[in-house]
Amino acid sequence: MTTPTVADPLFRWPKPPFFDVVADPPSGHSGECSVELLDGQVVAGKLVPVASGTAQASLRLSLDNQNEPADLSQVRIVRLLVPLTLTRSQAVMHDLGADDGAVASEKPFVVHYRDGKEWSGRTRGFVRNHHGLFLYLIQADETKTVACYIPAAQLQDITIGPPLGQSLEQQHAISSKALAAALNRQVELREERLGEYLATRAIVTAADLSHALKSQELRPTIKLGEFLVQEKLITPEQLEQALIAQKQNRQRRLGDILVEYGLVTKRQIQLALSDKLGIPFVDARHFAIDPLTLRLIPDAFAVVHQVLPLLHSGDMLVVAVENPLTMEYVKELQFLTGLTIVPAIANPDDLKLRIAQEYTNNYTREAWGPVGGEDAEERGGGEKLNVSELATELAKDVLPVARATRQSESHVMDNVLVRLVNKIIVEAHSQGASDIHIESNPRNLNTHIRFRKDGDMCDYLELLPAFRSILVSRIKIMAGLDIAEHRHAQDGKIEFGRFGPIAIELRVAVIPTSNGLEDVVMRILGGVEPLPIDKLGLHDSDLSALERMVARNHGLILVCGPTGSGKTTTLHSVLRHINRPDMKIWTAEDPIEITQPGLRQVQINTKIGWTFAEAMRSFLRADPDVIMVGEMRDAETAKIGIEASLTGHLVLSTLHTNSAAESIVRLLDLGMDPFNFADALVGVLSQRLARKLCPTCKKAHAASETEIAELAQEYCADTPLKPATVVEQWRRAAAGGQVLLYEAVGCHACKDGYRGRMGVYELLPGTARIRHLVRSRGTVPQLVEAAMEAGMRLLKQDALDKVLSGLLDLPSARAASS
């Protein structure tokens, strides 16, 4: 049926959902209706079947008994005059597997018209399709129902049910206190929907989950593609393209194809499912799970299908999954457990990590596939052990044999050692560590294992000295290194997906130390999604300027800073921002730390001569729009990058320099032609990472006049700004004119008062004066002065602004910007 228009005002009146009509209207009155027009006038009308048949036949609206069809573009609402008597449809309830009480008999609604007007009431159901909205309005005596129709041309949106927060509170899914906190937060962040705010505060206790499940409504089965179209996350045309791609490979899931095309993100799909279908969103990483519940699902099944048992209650098993609409294995799982399966939604990365944590101790070849070529079978089915228990078991199993044979290396393949190394890697990744340090000590001193988290080293585990050799040997085997070489440093890479449950890579450096020992440092790569560009922590003016820069189709943009300052994260956030189906983006990286669908990513290998310069030469022959080079390490790479930016390509790269202005001077010192460089330069972003204050426990105090004066002097140093003017601006921006400073305290949710890190930035734009200074080989102070005239904020200014915003404390800000 075509969409109703002025020329063809036809539609079908659908059957009400969940209900049957008890009796048909009296003969001759079934089509009588009142019609409210856009100008407020109400006239009589009649619905006339175009073809004989039931009420499902195509209908045409006429006004005042005229033969000509009504112009639906002028109609606000059509009400049938004869009310209906409805009763629950037992057939529908049976198909749903529900009783009458499982589906609400009535709901409040608000219709939002395109002209800004609203209409509210209560309904016994609704149907919305391309013809418009069909409502079953409850009359005042609540015994009869009036069928209403709103043409699609007038309909902006409809809200069914009470406001989300009110609904959750009434059904005890959240407390009044939590709802008030969410509403207050929403006032601060107007762009954030309340449903998304509550979903990000994922359920972490069994009690919360039970309450949330009570609020979950049973709904008809819905296909993911149709659901995403209904929620306007994708268009019907985009869905059709994805379905065509899926037909070519039935093994690929529709959701994965849509994410790969960049049409939606996994997070968008999950929030929409949670918000609209009432399925709880759980924090899989921190949810407390009974060990007996974990045993209900076999290890191999949990890993292969990425399903995590959360809660066993009666004959119900609640499981966390990425997408509840793609649980093709649900019948098999019901058979395995003998329980009714109820889904909850979890972040896929958290889900993968938690499954790895809970099941990695018992993994078998059947679950994980070949494990590094070992012949020894892995034990499975035993108790779940933490890393300390594994270390104790290792001492019991290996140490006596090592003492007897003096050949501890021969036991590298020992089952407990394999499990211990896997457990260390899994926990490092789950804790957000960037590096794993294994430090061998001489004589009878223990081997120390430490993680680097948020830039700081943290103690993790100590092992007896008898294990240092076999531990290093095990890692060498995983990385494909020479276990007999102890005098020279070795570099390698571990593809952990071959050995354990997480598809990540680790860059391994084995370094000989004194006393013939070896240390190992493993950098964790992969498993990280790029941040949206507006989540990097850039000041509003810097964010707008950077977005304008990356919107260009040619030029050179540099991101600079020391090692570990987040340059790669920033570059991939920029690539995510510009990554579209109509773009061809090549990247040359060493190593590839972040992957994105749609990018053509190349791993550099200098051992075989595959350098950044060689990769860029190849890219120029591969029809690129954007080229990202992991680092401009030498003059050749920098020269090719500048040439590429001058020939119609946008080039992104990094430099290890301390400031934006120093990056320009560094490239000139490498021998770059100043005229070409000036023409190519779009902008330089310098950045650092600073420890972020824990929002839960940070403590504020009113800054004294002395503190404010010292802070203003520091803010204005080496700039033309006046401290008195800056202080006045601070006081106007502060609530009540009182400038606040914050300090770290420490609580259960953080480490010493800090949680995570955030960027501190300065953005140098490639203005006409900057380009003139580049051509004339201007000095760093000259470049800084010109950039500040163009609006650049220095690193220290950005850091101190974040101090006044309560994001950083002064020690962290000064450490990041000094």
Side-chain angles (χ1 to χ4, degrees), residues 21 35 48 114 149 160 180 214 216 253 281 334 410 471 480 501 567 578 604 620 642 681 728:
V21 179
V35 182
V48 181
R114 293 186 185 275
Y149 165 66
I160 295 292
K214 290 178 182 178
Q216 180 178 339
R253 297 188 302 177
F281 191 96
Q334 287 175 336
S410 64
L471 183 64
K567 299 186 296 296
I578 61 177
I604 296 302
L620 292 175
I642 291 173
L681 184 64
E728 182 61 29

Side-chain angles (χ1 to χ4, degrees), residues 418-433:
V418 170
R419 293 159 60 194
L420 175 63
V421 173
N422 286 1
K423 187 72 171 178
I424 291 171
I425 294 172
V426 166
E427 291 201 358
H429 188 229
S430 66
Q431 293 180 25

Side-chain angles (χ1 to χ4, degrees), residues 155-174:
L155 184 63
Q156 179 68 36
D157 199 4
I158 180 172
T159 303
I160 295 292
L164 176 59
Q166 177 185 340
S167 173
L168 290 171
E169 182 184 19
Q170 290 172 352
Q171 301 177 45
H172 309 293
I174 62 170

Side-chain angles (χ1 to χ4, degrees), residues 241-280:
Q241 292 176 1
L243 290 173
I244 292 173
Q246 189 183 37
K247 288 180 182 179
Q248 299 172 357
N249 184 356
R250 292 291 184 180
Q251 302 300 318
R252 299 175 67 191
R253 297 188 302 177
L254 178 63
D256 293 337
I257 296 173
L258 294 171
V259 171
E260 180 181 334
Y261 284 0
L263 302 175
V264 290
T265 65
K266 292 181 179 179
R267 184 71 168 168
Q268 285 177 312
I269 294 175
Q270 290 187 311
L271 287 177
L273 290 173
S274 178
D275 189 19
K276 296 297 183 182
L277 299 187
I279 300 176

Side-chain angles (χ1 to χ4, degrees), residues 641-656:
I642 291 173
E643 290 175 353
S645 65
L646 292 173
T647 55
H649 309 99
L650 182 64
V651 178
L652 311 173
S653 190
T654 71
L655 276 176
H656 287 285

